[in-house]
Amino acid sequence: MEDKSTLGKFIQTKRKELGLSQKELAKALYVTESAVSKWERGISYPDITMISGICEVLHISEHELCTASEDRQQREADLMVKSYKRFVRGYTIITGLCYLGAIIPSFIYNVAHGGIGWFMVLVTSLMLTFSFINVPVLVKKNRALWTLGSATVSLMLLYAAGCVYSHGDWFVMAVLGTLLGEAIVFLPFVLRSEQLEKYVRNSKGLVCMAADSVLTFACVVYGTLKYGDVVDLRDGMLATVACVALVWAVFLIIRYLKANGFFKCALCFVASVVWVAAMTVLSNAWNGMKLSEIVSVKGADNSRYDVIVCLCLAGVAAVFGIAGVVFKFARKKPQDR
């Protein structure tokens, strides 16, 4: 704490700025007027138990009192906080009035014409708007998670209102497709939040891949059964399994193989070669092509684009494999020296 005279002058200055007399200050602090006079004349220090009370009455911080000087940075920070709070309050009031300005006339119009279907579409649309422009401002912690969660819920309600209003049957398909898209784009970031990271830890990739796979199969199963038949479901499932298998193979190579990046790329291209070859053989056999035509280099129509694709992929894999070998030996040489 500063010396008595400096501290006393500071207390006196702040008291006069507030227009308080020594008597009024003493009354607010439950001390005698002579005690305040002794502080300001530098005769004695205030009791340590009175620091918080003095700071509250004089509208200063404890740091300012102890240093007998104004903490301008802290005051600017406090002013910015107050300004932000005023902005949030005004922003919320203005947007709230805009929402009411859109909802009330719409409600009156829909009730007058004997229905509220279109009104519910408007309300859920405004809920989605609220999720994007108001939730990030109102929420203090985990803004991204709250925004994503509220937007997802609002979007599902909008789907439901739109489906009811249009007498459609596309609600479940729309929900599954939206959840799949959000899982692919946002789930890796959601799993890195403090609330979830302690549970998944190093398994975030597996969780994301599992969620994406489950939602993909759900979309295929529901979509083919809803808009097709059992034969379509069989074909759709086989195609989905084939595509998901390649994605899983690439993921496992990149995530868990302990090798340099060149070797990983080479193996990913090798997996692609195997996948293209296997899919070509299976699809041709499925379509009733003869075995001699399947294994023929030219094929039934004198062209085998799958062979060209496999050769190109194999060539790229070889280039990456050679680069991996060179990189590995290049790193070993300095260590041997």
Side-chain angles (χ1 to χ4, degrees):
M1 186 174 287
E2 292 294 320
D3 60 82
K4 297 176 183 178
S5 60
T6 304
L7 178 62
K9 290 179 180 179
F10 180 73
I11 294 175
Q12 184 182 53
T13 300
K14 303 308 293 184
R15 174 179 64 78
K16 290 182 178 180
E17 287 180 358
L18 295 173
L20 297 175
S21 64
Q22 289 185 345
K23 184 177 181 180
E24 291 172 334
L25 178 59
K27 184 177 180 181
L29 297 174
Y30 302 100
V31 296
T32 61
E33 185 177 350
S34 61
V36 175
S37 178
K38 289 180 180 179
W39 300 342
E40 295 185 356
R41 286 182 293 154
I43 298 176
S44 64
Y45 281 122
D47 189 87
I48 193 171
T49 59
M50 304 191 64
I51 290 178
S52 59
I54 295 173
C55 293
E56 183 178 355
V57 174
L58 297 180
H59 304 305
I60 57 176
S61 66
E62 293 183 2
H63 178 265
E64 289 177 316
L65 181 63
C66 292
T67 58
S69 62
E70 293 186 0
D71 190 346
R72 298 188 181 278
Q73 291 184 347
Q74 183 62 40
R75 286 185 176 274
E76 290 178 359
D78 293 339
L79 288 174
M80 290 179 64
V81 171
K82 292 179 181 179
S83 178
Y84 178 75
K85 289 181 178 179
R86 287 196 298 269
F87 166 77
V88 171
R89 184 164 52 249
Y91 180 79
T92 304
I93 292 173
I94 293 173
T95 53
L97 292 175
C98 292
Y99 294 144
L100 291 176
I103 290 174
I104 294 175
S106 175
F107 179 75
I108 295 173
Y109 176 84
N110 277 262
V111 171
H113 288 77
I116 60 170
W118 183 79
F119 172 72
M120 294 307 300
V121 174
L122 174 64
V123 171
T124 50
S125 299
L126 292 176
M127 290 175 60
L128 183 60
T129 304
F130 179 85
S131 299
F132 286 113
I133 70 174
N134 289 98
V135 171
V137 177
L138 296 175
V139 176
K140 296 181 179 180
K141 295 182 179 180
N142 302 315
R143 288 188 175 93
L145 289 179
W146 277 103
T147 301
L148 178 62
S150 60
T152 301
V153 173
S154 301
L155 188 59
M156 300 304 135
L157 293 175
L158 178 59
Y159 286 158
C163 194
V164 172
Y165 179 69
S166 63
H167 304 288
D169 58 352
W170 44 266
F171 174 74
V172 177
M173 195 68 231
V175 170
L176 290 175
T178 300
L179 291 178
L180 175 59
E182 289 188 350
I184 294 174
V185 177
F186 298 113
L187 187 57
F189 301 100
V190 172
L191 294 178
R192 294 178 65 181
S193 63
E194 295 181 2
Q195 291 75 14
L196 297 177
E197 188 171 15
K198 59 184 178 181
Y199 298 107
V200 294
R201 293 184 180 180
N202 296 327
S203 302
K204 290 188 282 291
L206 282 175
V207 173
C208 290
M209 287 293 296
D212 296 342
S213 300
V214 170
L215 288 171
T216 299
F217 281 109
C219 289
V220 172
V221 171
Y222 180 82
T224 51
L225 290 179
K226 181 66 178 178
Y227 305 106
D229 51 28
V230 177
V231 177
D232 295 326
L233 176 62
R234 180 192 61 190
D235 296 340
M237 288 297 291
L238 289 175
T240 305
V241 169
C243 294
V244 171
L246 177 60
V247 176
W248 270 95
V250 172
F251 166 73
L252 292 175
I253 290 172
I254 295 176
R255 179 67 179 84
Y256 294 102
L257 182 65
K258 294 182 179 180
N260 64 56
F262 293 108
F263 282 135
K264 289 183 178 182
C265 289
L267 285 177
C268 288
F269 280 102
V270 170
S272 300
V273 171
V274 174
W275 184 84
V276 171
M279 291 304 101
T280 301
V281 172
L282 292 175
S283 62
N284 289 337
W286 185 270
N287 293 324
M289 186 178 290
K290 296 179 181 180
L291 180 61
S292 59
E293 296 176 342
I294 296 175
V295 299
S296 173
V297 176
K298 291 185 177 180
D301 57 352
N302 293 324
S303 63
R304 290 301 298 269
Y305 297 109
D306 54 311
V307 174
I308 297 175
V309 172
C310 287
L311 290 176
C312 291
L313 292 174
V316 176
V319 171
F320 275 111
I322 294 172
V325 173
V326 173
F327 179 78
K328 184 176 181 180
F329 282 100
R331 291 189 62 186
K332 281 187 174 181
K333 285 183 178 181
Q335 295 178 358
D336 295 340
R337 293 177 184 176

